[in-house]
Amino acid sequence: MAEMSGVLSEEFDALRTRDVERLEATAAHKSTIVAALESAAHSIRRSRDAEEGADIAGDWPELQALARDCQMANRANGGAIALNRRLVSNLLDTLYGVSREQRTYDAGGRLDQVEAVRSVGQA
């Protein structure tokens, strides 16, 4: 779990600096860690050993705190991703000459795809 915290910090730094290669590497590392955590959780559930269960129970508050920290870091990273998406969307709107007033929302709360007013070649 501590390893996940480090990866999330690395991911945030990569998002901040817009380092695509590091983002891809951290995404792959996160996937590996999640798979390992899921495997460990499955093994723990299947375990019938009372001593092992007692050891885990003793570490439970620390594991919960680490999980909460990782959850908050992951939310912050998600916010950074959303911010970058909005930035790119706004830059593309400017490039294509789409004004903000032209943007409308569909029934699902998503932005409708607005046809470009002019082509990139005319920008």
Side-chain angles (χ1 to χ4, degrees), residues 2 10 25 56 80 89 91 99:
E10 172 103 6
I56 293 166
S89 177
L91 289 172
S99 72

Side-chain angles (χ1 to χ4, degrees), residues 70-88:
C70 288
Q71 183 181 31
M72 288 189 324
N74 204 40
R75 282 184 184 159
N77 290 355
I81 290 168
L83 180 64
N84 281 327
R85 283 183 179 162
R86 282 192 301 274
L87 174 64
V88 169

Side-chain angles (χ1 to χ4, degrees), residues 35-121:
L37 287 171
E38 287 174 349
S39 175
H42 183 69
S43 295
I44 290 168
R45 281 188 217 113
R46 288 183 29 213
S47 174
R48 305 277 187 231
D49 186 354
E51 282 184 41
E52 184 178 332
D55 289 343
I56 293 166
D59 293 337
W60 189 245
E62 181 181 334
L63 290 172
Q64 284 180 312
L66 278 169
R68 279 191 301 273
D69 290 347
C70 288
Q71 183 181 31
M72 288 189 324
N74 204 40
R75 282 184 184 159
N77 290 355
I81 290 168
L83 180 64
N84 281 327
R85 283 183 179 162
R86 282 192 301 274
L87 174 64
V88 169
S89 177
N90 289 338
L91 289 172
L92 287 172
D93 287 349
T94 300
L95 180 65
Y96 284 118
V98 176
S99 72
R100 290 186 180 253
E101 291 77 37
Q102 291 174 307
R103 297 186 123 193
T104 58
Y105 291 91
D106 65 13
R110 294 177 300 272
L111 286 174
D112 281 338
Q113 295 296 326
V114 177
E115 294 298 320
V117 176
R118 57 188 171 162
S119 71
V120 175

Side-chain angles (χ1 to χ4, degrees), residues 9 23 28-29 31 33 42 45-46 56 58 65 76 79:
S9 294
L23 278 172
H29 197 173
S31 180
I33 293 169
H42 183 69
R45 281 188 217 113
R46 288 183 29 213
I56 293 166

